[in-house]
Amino acid sequence: MFSWDGWLKVTALLTSLATVAALWFTAESLRATRGQLGLIEQGQYTDRFGKAVEQLGSDKPAIRMGGLYALERLARDSARDHATIVEVLSAYVREHAPRDTCRGPRPAADVQTALTVLGRRDAGRDQYARIDWRGACLAGAELSQAHLGQARLDGVNLRDAVLRGANLTGAQLRDADLTNAYLVGTNLRGADLHQSRLAGAFVGVRGPIGNADNTVRLHEIRTQSPPVAEQRTVGLAALPTEDSVWMDYWRQQHDRSGDLNMDQTGISAALGAQFAVMPGTDPPDWERCRLAQNWVTRVEFAELRTGSNLCARTREGRLARLTVVKVPPSPITGGTFLFSGLTWQRD
């Protein structure tokens, strides 16, 4: 019988080729299976998204809240849907909490749910998406530890909101209302708070646990001072008539119809205007006036002296500064209140 030693090598080669072929077919089968599973999974995600969005349109708050939580779970399961869900939930907040309907002490339960879901999301998966609550009424909202970096919050009402430990780095907060907001530990580095209102905001000069370092660093907040609109020296006389002036334009009136009125013992604000007596003799800039607290509607001459400075909010919502040049020595007998008035433009 014909004998050849190479048959063993041929047999081994054929066996190896068969093994490689089997492995290749197995790999291709697994790849095809994974592809099919991926399509099935993506189809399931699409179905879940559609059902959750449908729930958001319900007239029953409980069903809407269920849809919000369903979207939160989907955002965790599907990275490719995360950014879209952030945009959908932001739009939900704006639609269900417009600023012109700001009446209650806190947001409705479903709106607060949407805020909570967005605040605790994995912000590292946002891609192109940004929180966008511009013009929303979020007064009294609970946003502790919320991830709001780079958020669009222009014109938002956050009066009495709790933002303890929230991340607002680089957020846009122009013309936002943060009156009486709780800002202990809030990171506002690089935030734009131009024309925002912070009167009464608690920034944690000393926190409830005695930690003086857990504070908002106001010098790190980015603001931009608007240009000066009007500046002139004004003299008001108590007698024979009670004098007044419009602080927006420093136009004097003689029928007590302005928003700054002088009488025999002091000055008073009218038509929504307010004053804040500032410490020291250095004239405050726009930023200091914007952050001023202890706003009042009346200041007695006894509180003032030459060089005193007051910040003011005018009838039209501008910020103004009054630097005292002369205090009436005897207003009852016809003294003159002389000051340098400056008003900044409002965007």
Side-chain angles (χ1 to χ4, degrees), residues 45-268:
Y45 290 156
T46 301
D47 289 342
R48 289 169 60 185
F49 181 84
K51 291 177 180 178
V53 171
E54 184 178 351
Q55 286 180 278
L56 299 187
S58 172
D59 58 356
K60 298 180 179 179
I63 294 178
R64 296 200 299 270
M65 290 170 65
L68 295 169
Y69 286 125
L71 286 175
E72 179 182 32
R73 289 192 296 271
L74 179 57
R76 292 174 179 171
D77 295 341
S78 175
R80 64 181 296 177
D81 292 312
H82 177 97
T84 301
I85 290 171
V86 170
E87 293 183 334
V88 169
L89 294 183
S90 291
Y92 183 91
V93 171
R94 296 194 306 273
E95 180 181 349
H96 287 78
R99 189 168 184 172
D100 57 1
T101 61
C102 224
R103 297 186 182 89
R106 61 186 59 85
D110 58 325
V111 173
Q112 179 61 63
T113 297
L115 299 177
T116 301
V117 167
L118 285 169
R120 68 189 180 198
R121 77 197 185 287
D122 182 358
R125 304 171 76 180
D126 282 353
Q127 302 176 55
Y128 57 84
R130 292 170 64 185
I131 298 293
D132 187 349
W133 296 337
R134 285 175 291 184
C137 173
L138 306 180
E142 170 54 61
L143 291 165
S144 295
Q145 308 297 326
H147 300 293
L148 302 174
Q150 307 299 321
R152 296 185 177 100
L153 303 173
D154 295 327
V156 70
N157 185 334
L158 286 165
R159 294 177 67 95
D160 301 305
V162 179
L163 290 147
R164 183 187 185 106
N167 179 10
L168 283 159
T169 54
Q172 297 175 6
L173 283 152
R174 295 170 68 92
D175 197 32
D177 188 349
L178 289 156
T179 303
N180 298 326
Y182 191 81
L183 300 173
V184 173
T186 306
N187 188 343
L188 284 160
R189 184 187 297 272
D192 185 354
L193 284 151
H194 184 198
Q195 293 290 64
S196 293
R197 292 168 293 287
L198 286 157
F202 182 61
V203 296
V205 174
R206 185 166 296 277
I209 58 174
N211 183 0
D213 296 325
N214 191 24
T215 63
V216 175
R217 297 180 180 178
L218 294 179
H219 66 278
E220 294 177 347
I221 299 173
R222 179 169 56 88
T223 58
Q224 178 182 354
S225 175
V228 173
E230 298 286 344
Q231 183 173 11
R232 68 183 60 183
T233 300
V234 179
L236 300 179
L239 295 174
T241 60
E242 294 181 334
D243 225 344
S244 68
V245 65
W246 287 109
M247 291 187 288
D248 286 290
Y249 315 104
W250 301 111
R251 184 175 64 247
Q252 288 186 249
Q253 305 291 319
H254 298 289
D255 56 359
R256 196 173 172 81
S257 61
D259 56 356
L260 185 161
N261 301 303
M262 173 184 172
D263 57 34
Q264 297 178 2
T265 59
I267 56 173
S268 58

Side-chain angles (χ1 to χ4, degrees), residues 255-297:
D255 56 359
R256 196 173 172 81
S257 61
D259 56 356
L260 185 161
N261 301 303
M262 173 184 172
D263 57 34
Q264 297 178 2
T265 59
I267 56 173
S268 58
L271 304 172
Q274 292 178 303
F275 303 125
V277 179
M278 304 299 289
T281 57
D282 293 331
D285 58 12
W286 175 86
E287 176 65 8
R288 282 188 62 201
C289 285
R290 186 183 68 81
L291 296 174
Q293 299 187 22
N294 301 320
W295 293 92
V296 296
T297 57

